[in-house]
Amino acid sequence: MKMKYLLGLLFVLIAGPAFALPHDDSTSVKSTVKVFIPWNQFSMTADGTSILSLGTGTPRVANVNSLGIAAVRFDTAGTNGDAIHLTYPIPDNMCVSCPTKISAVWSTSSTTTSQTATWRALYSATALGEGWNAPATALDTPITADAVDDTAYGLNESPQGTINGSILERGDTLDIMMQISSASGLNPASDIVEFHGIYIEYTRELL
């Protein structure tokens, strides 16, 4: 009986993937990973000054609707508007030949659903031993306009923008800059616009 068991186990090991043991079953592993990175993981400085000491016209920590929930308030839009940065090491299990997707999570005091905000992400990729590069590369597929929710401070996730496959490399660190590139009807100077973080979605590669 013991010999039959050992022969059966040997057959499973030799037969290959079709007869793989349960813990080797790759079909039970999700192929995509979606990671939320909150605002407090971002670097928020301007001219060497901490965000906490900056005033109107610059991104700053705010209390969302007096709820005791923190976010970053943006007062200006456009290429010279408010911006914050994130450094994000490329995960070891990321499929670098596959697209990487980025979206913004935000809210506003406005409830006018005809208004929109368009978030912009620029990035650079820096390898170990290299000097930092300013994030100046646009996403291959930009983030498009996102409509305001009909509930004040309703949580929105913008449409996804994409970095094409075979651009990033393992061992790189992404520097991602987020800002509001444009707003239609929405005025960040008077309508409260708050940034909560980003989602990064990538394909997992089994190593």
Side-chain angles (χ1 to χ4, degrees):
M1 184 68 179
K2 186 175 181 180
M3 180 60 69
K4 287 183 179 180
Y5 172 80
L6 292 175
L7 288 174
L9 179 60
L10 183 61
F11 173 79
V12 169
L13 294 175
I14 295 174
F19 296 91
L21 295 174
H23 64 270
D24 292 326
D25 184 3
S26 62
T27 61
S28 65
V29 180
K30 291 183 178 179
S31 60
T32 59
V33 178
K34 192 171 183 179
V35 180
F36 177 68
I37 303 173
W39 66 270
N40 60 359
Q41 299 298 307
F42 282 72
S43 172
M44 297 166 285
T45 59
D47 298 327
T49 305
S50 168
I51 185 174
L52 295 177
S53 65
L54 296 177
T56 302
T58 55
R60 62 192 188 279
V61 175
N63 185 355
V64 180
N65 198 24
S66 301
L67 296 173
I69 301 171
V72 177
R73 181 171 176 179
F74 279 61
D75 288 316
T76 57
T79 56
N80 295 319
D82 297 343
I84 57 177
H85 293 245
L86 166 75
T87 53
Y88 180 74
I90 300 298
D92 289 338
N93 66 347
M94 177 185 282
C95 173
V96 293
S97 62
C98 305
T100 300
K101 300 177 182 180
I102 298 172
S103 55
V105 179
W106 65 289
S107 62
T108 177
S109 61
S110 174
T111 58
T112 305
T113 57
S114 60
Q115 297 176 343
T116 63
T118 303
W119 291 87
R120 180 169 78 139
L122 298 179
Y123 74 95
S124 65
T126 304
L128 291 175
E130 292 183 351
W132 283 107
N133 299 305
T137 303
L139 302 182
D140 295 291
T141 302
I143 298 172
T144 55
D146 194 19
V148 168
D149 194 76
D150 61 1
T151 302
Y153 300 99
L155 205 58
N156 294 313
E157 180 187 356
S158 74
Q160 292 178 315
T162 304
I163 301 173
N164 287 344
S166 303
I167 292 178
L168 305 176
E169 296 182 6
R170 286 200 185 95
D172 284 351
T173 296
L174 276 177
D175 184 354
I176 302 172
M177 183 193 77
M178 296 297 299
Q179 65 181 178
I180 304 171
S181 64
S182 63
S184 176
L186 190 67
N187 182 3
S190 56
D191 298 311
I192 297 175
V193 178
E194 291 168 328
F195 174 82
H196 298 273
I198 63 172
Y199 277 112
I200 294 181
E201 183 177 318
Y202 63 90
T203 300
R204 179 183 310 187
E205 188 168 75
L206 299 177
L207 302 177

